Amino acid sequence: MEQKNITQYSINYETKQHPSVKGLQIIEGKNNFPISWLNKQGYCEYQLYLEHVKNIKSPTTPEMTHGSEIHKQLEDIFKQESAQVSFEEVIESSKSEASMSRECFVISPKYGIRGHIDEIWMKPEEIVIIDDKPGRTPYKSTMNQVRAYCLAFKDMSGDDRKIKGALRERGTENLFWIEPFTEDVEKEIKFTIDRIHGLFNGSKPFMPTKNPKKCHSCRFKHDCEHAQ
Ligand code: SF4
């Protein structure tokens, strides 16, 4: 597959920072959150509250540092070896010739989400959206993150090719989970995204996990009144 570095987008939205929630933006009059928050929400909603509403800083874990280093190395190699294109150009050219891109930015003002896809394969017959994760376990939280990328890509591109979401073991070629982005999956992820909007607009409570094992490994356990 030809490597294409997506550096331009035809649409640029005016963004405003939310006055009280760190990381939340307001785009086209609607709250817009990073898709990576789906991963946090699946782990424990109260983490979102502590980090983004209470603005509590937590130490970076060795896993996070290691993950960022691998990510950066792969991105640097990719940039050296790939041609620069716009999002719209690669959507069009991939209808006849498959391409691979990394760090593809996607945004959907309609659903209030945005983020960077680790790797995307655009083939004439389908789109494959890949998120790199440590380990080989497909958690609901990580699956939801990929599903939200699929939704944002679909909304942003308007492309009608089949889309698949996949999780890959970081630093390897091992796609350990892959799922077609069907209508049912789309409906389910929209529901979860609505829930997160509900947390930040105050219509839903941030629910702490009931799983003590999660608290044990949580970066916020020393600042959390619900830690078990
Ligand atoms: S300590 Fe437990 S309840 Fe508190 S934020 Fe962490 S995982 Fe959630």
Side-chain angles (χ1 to χ4, degrees), residues 18-73:
H18 190 277
S20 60
V21 180
K22 191 179 66 157
L24 195 63
Q25 292 183 346
I26 301 168
I27 298 174
E28 306 249 291
K30 183 177 167 79
N31 283 348
N32 189 297
F33 65 82
I35 288 172
S36 57
W37 290 10
L38 265 297
N39 194 359
K40 296 178 190 177
Q41 184 258 354
Y43 189 86
C44 173
E45 288 180 351
Y46 210 69
Q47 272 197 351
L48 284 172
Y49 173 73
L50 293 175
E51 186 167 12
H52 300 287
V53 180
K54 296 285 280 180
N55 204 5
I56 289 174
K57 312 259 185 306
S58 72
T60 310
T61 64
E63 291 79 22
M64 288 162 81
T65 309
H66 182 60
S68 304
E69 283 167 3
I70 293 182
H71 199 86
K72 171 97 177 51
Q73 283 165 9

Side-chain angles (χ1 to χ4, degrees), residues 150-204:
C150 294
L151 179 67
F153 176 84
K154 184 178 172 183
D155 184 46
M156 179 175 173
S157 67
D159 198 277
D160 58 5
R161 275 172 275 184
K162 278 185 297 178
I163 301 176
K164 286 179 183 162
L167 292 168
R168 181 171 62 188
E169 186 179 359
R170 184 174 285 148
T172 76
E173 299 296 316
N174 177 24
L175 296 181
F176 61 86
W177 174 83
I178 186 155
E179 173 190 76
F181 188 61
T182 61
E183 276 182 26
D184 284 348
V185 173
E186 183 172 337
K187 212 163 125 190
E188 215 179 296
I189 194 61
K190 284 178 185 168
F191 182 82
T192 307
I193 289 166
D194 278 351
R195 168 151 187 99
I196 297 185
H197 282 299
L199 299 176
F200 290 105
N201 68 25
S203 63
K204 297 197 171 74

